[in-house]
Amino acid sequence: QLGKVYLIIHHHIFWKIWYQFHNSVVAGFDLCTSAGPLMQEPLHGVCFSVTHISVPLSFCEKILTRIEVESVVSADRLSDWDTLARSEDGDSSSSMLSGKLISEVRDFLRIAMLSCPLRIVEPIYDCSLQCEQTQIGNLYAVLTKRRGTVYKEEIIEGTMLFLLSAYLPVSESFGFAQELLKKTSGSGTTPQLKFSHWEVIKQDPFWRPVTAEELEEFGEVSNVDHNLPRILIDQARKRKGLPIEEKVVVFAEKQRTLNKKK
């Protein structure tokens, strides 16, 4: 759940250790979930499972008694407890409670995300439209161009007007009303838009052609124009000033020099 960390601790000693750096881990978790690694946008439908935590001995020495140490440390390591504890850096516990731990938790959670298949989600508008029967084809053409899908269509009795309800991605809604009026010659009314839901784009943003058919169609280097999630990611990153994989000069051999004759 966004903004919360749930843990199951089976021993009260482990709880004493976890309590010392709980706030730092939660802060790192909040930073990671509020700005994901792809577009610095909030995460949606992501769960992190922490299966193992390693804590320096010097850190445990400051908050646990000798009896508590004996209950959690194996007998063959008790003889080395004092030596290892003294050899640990004294700033280990302080660094764990500082901003260093927060940034490390954030970075490791992002690395864990990038090691898994990623998909992006986009907001969808519920669009209500009204159009005359003679321009219904042009209206469908505008919706198809902007990845819209009509899920309800009905005609007003006694008239030639159609009422349509469609789903339209928010990223495709900019300039939609102006284009609709232009293509339908003013027959299409101004669309009424309201937020409907979030939808997962199933295409992989890091897809690369592998098979012979894909290599023949897209070439050895995939064209970004055929990858919708990658296009949305590059647009968001470019708008926020983040680096993107874009060539400044695509075809260097086609450069030319213009001479200015005085």
Side-chain angles (χ1 to χ4, degrees):
Q1 183 175 354
L2 182 62
K4 295 184 179 180
V5 175
Y6 296 95
L7 293 175
I8 300 177
I9 299 180
H10 301 282
H11 204 285
H12 70 282
I13 297 177
F14 296 149
W15 170 252
K16 291 179 62 176
I17 299 175
W18 167 252
Y19 182 76
Q20 300 298 321
F21 53 88
H22 171 268
N23 293 333
S24 298
V25 175
V26 173
F29 174 80
D30 289 338
L31 289 176
C32 178
T33 54
S34 61
L38 295 182
M39 298 181 291
Q40 302 294 318
E41 292 288 337
L43 302 183
H44 179 83
V46 179
C47 175
F48 295 98
S49 177
V50 181
T51 59
H52 179 75
I53 298 177
S54 299
V55 182
L57 292 176
S58 60
F59 181 79
C60 299
E61 185 185 30
K62 295 182 179 181
I63 62 177
L64 298 180
T65 63
R66 182 71 180 188
I67 298 176
E68 291 175 337
V69 170
E70 293 176 355
S71 63
V72 295
V73 179
S74 58
D76 56 343
R77 296 197 61 189
L78 282 175
S79 59
D80 300 332
W81 170 264
D82 296 331
T83 304
L84 291 174
R86 286 193 297 267
S87 63
E88 291 284 348
D89 187 6
D91 296 333
S92 297
S93 60
S94 60
S95 63
M96 293 183 65
L97 298 174
S98 64
K100 182 179 179 181
L101 178 60
I102 298 176
S103 61
E104 287 180 353
V105 171
R106 179 199 61 192
D107 295 340
F108 279 112
L109 291 180
R110 288 180 176 177
I111 292 173
M113 282 190 57
L114 293 175
S115 64
C116 302
L118 297 179
R119 299 294 183 271
I120 65 174
V121 294
E122 62 175 348
I124 303 297
Y125 275 144
D126 190 348
C127 179
S128 299
L129 297 167
Q130 182 176 334
C131 183
E132 295 182 359
Q133 183 179 7
T134 55
Q135 297 292 335
I136 194 69
N138 295 329
L139 186 146
Y140 271 91
V142 175
L143 284 174
T144 303
K145 177 183 176 182
R146 294 177 175 264
R147 298 188 292 119
T149 56
V150 178
Y151 67 90
K152 184 179 179 181
E153 178 183 342
E154 58 184 8
I155 188 172
I156 302 177
E157 296 183 2
T159 64
M160 300 294 290
L161 296 177
F162 277 82
L163 295 178
L164 294 91
S165 298
Y167 291 132
L168 182 69
V170 174
S171 60
E172 302 288 346
S173 63
F174 301 102
F176 174 63
Q178 293 79 1
E179 183 179 5
L180 182 65
L181 291 175
K182 180 180 179 181
K183 295 296 183 180
T184 60
S185 302
S187 299
T189 59
T190 303
Q192 303 296 322
L193 303 176
K194 64 179 181 180
F195 177 75
S196 176
H197 62 279
W198 294 88
E199 184 175 338
V200 179
I201 301 180
K202 298 181 180 180
Q203 188 176 2
D204 186 4
F206 302 105
W207 177 83
R208 291 289 185 274
V210 178
T211 63
E213 293 79 6
E214 294 173 348
L215 291 172
E216 182 179 357
E217 181 177 359
F218 302 105
E220 295 183 359
V221 180
S222 61
N223 192 349
V224 180
D225 296 337
H226 298 281
N227 195 329
L228 175 61
R230 189 60 178 270
I231 294 175
L232 298 178
I233 291 174
D234 289 345
Q235 290 176 352
R237 293 182 66 89
K238 188 174 183 179
R239 184 171 62 251
K240 295 181 178 182
L242 300 174
I244 59 176
E245 295 182 2
E246 183 180 14
K247 293 182 179 180
V248 179
V249 179
V250 181
F251 303 105
E253 66 276 5
K254 292 186 178 181
Q255 291 181 341
R256 62 191 181 124
T257 303
L258 298 179
N259 296 325
K260 293 182 179 180
K261 297 182 179 180
K262 295 182 180 181

